């Protein structure tokens, strides 16, 4: 059992929003948070526009692979954040559930995905503050 907080990000395809959020949290927490992401209907690959906009800020998600949402992933997480996509997650007592309403980057170009990336960063920084974990500058 880890004493680090753990966070699960969920969106339908686990190809855009949840991947960017997980990457931001891993990067900004510098390993002080256990990070997971998953989707209810995972895509074949991570959205190329998401990969491109994250690369612009020095975060490489090109090797990430969309993963299926499991009951275990929810059970093992302290916080479960859905990405405004209406996913239903198994509910376990003592877990914190949040829904972040974010535009879907699917089918969008980098110009449209940049503001989504920046909003996710803002929310992840707020989450770190709530968790009491210092964020990388």
């Amino acid at each position: 059992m880890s004493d680090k907080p753990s966070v699960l990000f969920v969106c339908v395809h686990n190809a855009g929003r949840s991947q960017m959020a997980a990457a931001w949290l891993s990067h900004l927490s510098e390993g002080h948070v256990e990070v997971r992401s998953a989707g209810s209907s995972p895509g074949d690959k991570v959205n190329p526009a998401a990969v491109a906009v994250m690369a612009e800020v020095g975060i490489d998600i090109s090797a990430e692979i969309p993963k299926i949402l499991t009951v275990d992933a929810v059970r093992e997480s302290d916080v479960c954040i859905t990405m405004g996509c209406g996913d239903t997650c198994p509910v376990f007592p003592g877990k914190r559930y949040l829904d972040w309403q974010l535009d879907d980057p699917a089918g969008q170009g980098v110009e449209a995905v940049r503001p989504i990336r920046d909003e996710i960063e803002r929310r992840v920084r707020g989450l770190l503050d709530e968790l009491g974990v210092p964020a990388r500058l």
Side-chain angles (χ1 to χ4, degrees):
M1 242 0 231
S2 172
D3 59 350
K4 294 191 286 189
S6 57
V7 176
L8 169 66
F9 294 101
V10 181
C11 68
V12 174
H13 300 298
N14 189 222
R17 294 167 289 192
S18 57
Q19 290 285 353
M20 289 190 287
W24 272 122
L25 186 54
S26 293
H27 176 76
L28 293 171
S29 73
E30 298 183 309
H32 294 280
V33 176
E34 193 173 321
V35 182
R36 297 176 181 86
S37 72
S40 57
S41 180
D44 295 330
K45 63 181 181 178
V46 175
N47 180 328
V51 172
V53 300
M54 292 303 286
E56 291 175 353
V57 295
I59 301 174
D60 182 6
I61 63 170
S62 63
E64 296 299 325
I65 299 169
K67 296 166 281 306
I68 187 76
L69 175 63
T70 65
V71 170
D72 286 342
V74 177
R75 183 182 294 121
E76 295 167 5
S77 300
D78 299 313
V79 181
C80 180
I81 301 174
T82 58
M83 312 304 277
C85 51
D87 275 349
T88 57
C89 291
V91 176
F92 293 97
K95 305 291 179 193
R96 181 173 175 205
Y97 295 89
L98 301 171
D99 183 46
W100 289 358
Q101 296 290 323
L102 297 162
D103 291 335
D104 189 349
Q108 304 293 322
V110 294
E111 292 296 324
V113 178
R114 280 187 192 111
I116 300 168
R117 172 202 63 201
D118 296 344
E119 177 61 15
I120 290 171
E121 178 190 9
R122 186 187 71 74
R123 291 179 188 220
V124 166
R125 286 184 180 278
L127 177 65
L128 283 168
D129 190 49
E130 291 173 21
L131 293 173
V133 175
R136 172 190 295 212
L137 298 177

